């Protein structure tokens, strides 16, 4: 896991006047109250032992809690997305941990280029296919393959 100092360095956070560290990630071009941006968004990090001073809130604030963890991203396949393309797809598997449980997110994402930048436009989950038993089928009156000695219909086939 990254330390607070590493996150501050990687996200290029600066000291916040009220404590902690921050970086503005969005500033609305619309203004209110004589020039103030209608909305802004920031990354904010409060490291262990740091304090943030309470302040009067005179605008809407939205708080998101990001409990980051390591992420493994495996690119399964790509289509398009080259230098001369304006659309592309990427099939990927993102492996991550959340609340101590490892998850695999398998998706085919669609991307579109606009003014030189690529944007995610849509995605579809890839679901596991149906698994079929290729071996011989167990008949209802056959001995159960679990080894119980019972007929399949009275044991695992019930």
């Amino acid at each position: 896991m990254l330390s607070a100092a590493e996150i501050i360095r990687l996200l290029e956070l600066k000291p916040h006047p009220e404590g902690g560290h921050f970086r503005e990630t969005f500033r609305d071009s619309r203004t209110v109250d004589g020039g103030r941006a209608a909305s802004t968004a920031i990354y904010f990090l409060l490291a262990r032992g740091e304090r943030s001073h309470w302040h009067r809130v005179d605008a809407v604030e939205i708080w998101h809690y990001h409990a980051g963890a390591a992420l493994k991203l495996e690119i399964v396949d790509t289509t398009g997305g080259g230098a001369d393309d304006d659309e592309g797809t990427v099939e990927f598997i993102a492996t991550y941990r959340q609340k101590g449980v490892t998850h695999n997110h398998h998706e085919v994402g669609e991307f579109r280029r606009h003014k030189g930048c690529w944007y995610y436009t849509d995605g579809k989950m890839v679901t596991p296919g149906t698994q079929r038993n290729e071996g011989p089928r167990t008949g209802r009156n056959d001995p159960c393959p679990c080894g119980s000695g019972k007929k399949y219909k009275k044991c695992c086939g019930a």
Side-chain angles (χ1 to χ4, degrees):
M1 181 175 243
L2 295 174
S3 70
E6 291 169 317
I7 294 170
I8 290 167
R9 181 181 54 75
L10 288 170
L11 295 179
E12 299 175 358
L13 305 182
K14 304 295 181 212
H16 192 282
E18 296 165 352
H21 292 80
F22 84 107
R23 178 168 60 92
E24 188 173 278
T25 59
F26 171 78
R27 178 169 290 273
D28 200 327
S29 58
R30 295 174 297 145
T31 58
V32 295
D33 297 335
R36 177 180 170 156
S39 65
T40 60
I42 66 170
Y43 284 134
F44 180 78
L45 183 139
L46 195 60
R48 180 172 285 138
E50 287 185 314
R51 292 182 183 258
S52 178
H53 302 285
W54 189 250
H55 59 281
R56 182 180 176 146
V57 178
D58 61 355
V60 174
E61 289 190 1
I62 300 172
W63 292 63
H64 298 275
Y65 176 71
H66 298 280
L71 173 71
K72 174 186 170 193
L73 185 62
E74 175 188 350
I75 304 300
V76 177
D77 192 24
T78 61
T79 305
D84 297 327
D85 296 321
D86 287 326
E87 295 181 353
T89 61
V90 178
E91 181 179 351
F92 63 90
I93 301 171
T95 303
Y96 63 96
R97 289 183 58 82
Q98 184 176 39
K99 296 183 179 178
V101 178
T102 300
H103 299 275
N104 290 310
H105 176 82
H106 191 174
E107 179 179 327
V108 175
E110 298 176 12
F111 296 82
R112 186 172 295 228
R113 186 188 341 239
H114 178 70
K115 295 183 180 179
C117 295
W118 286 96
Y119 295 92
Y120 176 88
T121 57
D122 197 10
K124 295 191 177 31
M125 295 282 293
V126 177
T127 56
T130 303
Q131 294 185 359
R132 305 223 183 263
N133 186 353
E134 298 299 325
R137 294 190 61 146
T138 303
R140 290 179 38 81
N141 290 315
D142 291 339
C144 190
C146 76
S148 68
K150 297 179 183 178
K151 288 186 178 182
Y152 178 70
K153 69 180 178 185
K154 296 282 185 177
C155 190
C156 296

